[in-house]
């Protein structure tokens, strides 16, 4: 193979493909991760160099996951960073509240457009009795997670629980840190920003625990969830051609599928964080062992539940 052809193939592989976005379970991600990790280890003790390197990789990761929408997270980070510094300089309470309102409104408006614009437009069309063609809106991967993180930051600054980051790079590091960017857990400013400043080196035990969690997550996602999904898809496509027992197994299988899928991603994210010297909160605590619906929701996606409790 000619060098030019090989180079063209590499560039094609590194470019965004809408049909196959990069996720943790993809071979492309792990190939890039193996290249990323030794350079990260060399830069770890030089905090600002490490931050620049991780931000660049995180933005590229998001580009590979959502294409041009990586510019949206950059715009959000600039807006929030400037507004947070404006917030602390305000002397009147109404000015401080206005800064928070502007940030939260902007974040939720962007999230609402991508997630609910077609829904509300369709509902309005039904009310007035007009035809409606859904708009071609592509939902950026992970937009809910970094939107919630953005809100937690501006609210924590308002409550004086955290100080605004010294630099924009520190803030976009927090907002775009790739292990938690796509599927959580939701990283909160008061928990994560001090870790960026501390830049703690991980212990050997933490590194090995991180690799164990990554392996566990891969097993949950790629082996269990994807395998169960094949059976579920077959049954759900034509449920009337299968027995009641087979449909019941598909329903039970789906509950395991979504758990293994979601918790698998969370395990991989937490494991990656451990390797890099950062700690995320646990996201799932054996939810199917719960004795009530209320207990189930306390054990399922715990970072989201605690976020709603503290910020809504």
């Amino acid at each position: 193979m000619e060098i030019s052809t090989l180079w063209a193939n590499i560039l094609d592989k590194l470019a965004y493909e809408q049909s196959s976005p990069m996720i943790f379970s993809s071979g492309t991600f792990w190939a890039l991760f193996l290249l990323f990790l030794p350079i990260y280890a060399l830069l770890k003790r030089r905090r600002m160099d490490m931050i620049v390197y991780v931000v660049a990789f995180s933005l590229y990761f998001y580009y590979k996951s959502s294409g041009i929408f990586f510019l949206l997270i950059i715009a959000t980070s600039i807006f929030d960073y400037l507004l947070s510094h404006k917030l602390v300089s305000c002397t009147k309470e109404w000015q401080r509240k206005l800064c928070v309102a502007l940030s939260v409104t902007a974040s939720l408006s962007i999230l609402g457009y991508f997630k609910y614009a077609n829904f509300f437009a369709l509902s309005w069309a039904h009310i007035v009795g007009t035809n409606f063609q859904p708009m071609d809106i592509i939902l950026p991967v992970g937009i809910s997670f970094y939107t919630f993180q953005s809100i937690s930051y501006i609210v924590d600054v308002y409550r004086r629980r955290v100080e605004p980051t010294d630099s924009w790079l520190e803030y976009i590091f927090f907002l775009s840190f790739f292990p938690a960017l796509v599927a959580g857990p939701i990283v909160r400013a008061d928990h994560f920003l001090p870790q960026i400043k501390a830049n703690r080196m991980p212990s050997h035990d933490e590194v090995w625990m991180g690799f164990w969690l990554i392996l566990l997550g891969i097993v949950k996602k790629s082996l269990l969830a994807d395998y169960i999904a094949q059976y579920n898809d077959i049954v759900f496509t034509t449920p009337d051609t299968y027995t009641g027992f087979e449909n019941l197994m598909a329903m039970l299988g789906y509950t395991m599928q979504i758990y293994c899928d979601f918790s698998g991603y969370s395990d991989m994210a937490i494991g990656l964080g451990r390797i890099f010297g950062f700690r995320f909160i646990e996201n799932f605590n054996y939810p199917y062992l719960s004795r009530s619906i209320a207990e189930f929701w306390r054990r399922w996606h715990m970072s989201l539940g605690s976020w709603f409790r503290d910020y809504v």
Side-chain angles (χ1 to χ4, degrees):
M1 181 181 296
E2 295 182 0
I3 298 296
S4 59
T5 304
L6 178 61
W7 183 244
N9 290 338
I10 293 174
L11 290 179
D12 287 341
K13 195 66 176 176
L14 294 176
Y16 169 64
E17 298 178 53
Q18 184 176 339
S19 59
S20 57
M22 188 165 70
I23 54 178
F24 287 159
S25 56
S26 67
T28 302
F29 170 77
W30 292 111
L32 292 173
F33 174 74
L34 291 176
L35 297 175
F36 168 87
L37 191 56
I39 301 175
Y40 175 84
L42 291 173
L43 297 177
K44 176 64 175 175
R45 295 186 185 276
R46 291 145 53 186
R47 194 174 75 94
M48 286 310 299
D49 291 343
M50 179 273 292
I51 287 175
V52 171
Y53 178 61
V54 173
V55 167
F57 186 85
S58 295
L59 292 177
Y60 173 71
F61 174 81
Y62 198 58
Y63 161 74
K64 282 287 291 177
S65 301
S66 296
I68 196 66
F69 291 117
F70 83 97
L71 296 175
L72 190 60
I73 197 171
I74 294 176
T76 299
S77 68
I78 293 172
F79 182 72
D80 281 342
Y81 172 73
L82 295 175
L83 204 57
S84 67
H85 280 267
K86 177 64 177 176
L87 190 157
V88 296
S89 67
C90 292
T91 56
K92 298 181 179 179
E93 186 63 19
W94 71 266
Q95 294 173 330
R96 288 166 44 80
K97 289 182 177 180
L98 179 60
C99 289
V100 175
L102 287 173
S103 176
V104 172
T105 300
S107 295
L108 293 182
S109 296
I110 294 171
L111 178 63
Y113 169 76
F114 282 103
K115 298 198 76 169
Y116 303 113
N118 274 323
F119 170 77
F120 286 116
L122 179 60
S123 299
W124 178 253
H126 284 163
I127 292 172
V128 300
T130 61
N131 293 325
F132 172 72
Q133 293 296 327
M135 294 177 284
D136 187 18
I137 298 175
I138 300 173
L139 181 66
V141 175
I143 188 172
S144 297
F145 295 103
Y146 77 73
T147 296
F148 292 156
Q149 290 178 204
S150 167
I151 293 173
S152 82
Y153 169 74
I154 205 74
V155 172
D156 282 346
V157 171
Y158 170 77
R159 292 173 174 171
R160 296 186 173 90
R161 296 178 65 177
V162 299
E163 294 292 326
T165 57
D166 296 330
S167 68
W168 169 74
L169 282 169
E170 288 179 310
Y171 180 61
I172 196 171
F173 182 104
F174 155 72
L175 201 63
S176 67
F177 191 44
F178 70 90
L181 182 58
V182 171
I186 297 172
V187 179
R188 289 164 50 157
D190 62 343
H191 177 71
F192 195 70
L193 291 181
Q195 295 186 61
I196 298 176
K197 287 187 177 296
N199 194 30
R200 186 180 58 84
M201 294 293 293
S203 66
H204 286 89
D205 289 343
E206 286 179 308
V207 172
W208 286 115
M209 176 58 70
F211 280 115
W212 164 250
L213 288 171
I214 291 171
L215 179 60
L216 182 63
I218 291 174
V219 169
K220 284 181 178 179
K221 171 66 179 73
S222 300
L223 295 183
L224 296 178
D226 290 352
Y227 180 77
I228 295 172
Q230 296 180 35
Y231 173 79
N232 296 338
D233 291 343
I234 293 173
V235 175
F236 290 153
T237 300
T238 53
D240 54 324
T241 62
Y242 293 90
T243 65
F245 177 78
E246 290 168 331
N247 277 274
L248 177 61
M249 289 298 100
M251 293 173 60
L252 295 175
Y254 185 71
T255 64
M256 293 306 302
Q257 176 191 335
I258 59 174
Y259 168 73
C260 291
D261 199 313
F262 213 164
S263 69
Y265 273 120
S266 291
D267 287 342
M268 285 186 271
I270 294 169
L272 288 167
R274 288 283 183 92
I275 291 172
F276 300 144
F278 297 94
R279 283 185 171 270
F280 299 150
I281 65 173
E282 294 295 327
N283 217 16
F284 293 87
N285 183 23
Y286 304 102
Y288 291 141
L289 297 181
S290 303
R291 290 169 292 182
S292 67
I293 295 296
E295 183 181 355
F296 173 83
W297 287 117
R298 287 195 296 269
R299 291 167 172 256
W300 178 278
H301 205 331
M302 294 185 293
S303 65
L304 179 62
S306 65
W307 187 92
F308 272 100
R309 182 193 64 219
D310 295 337
Y311 295 100
V312 176

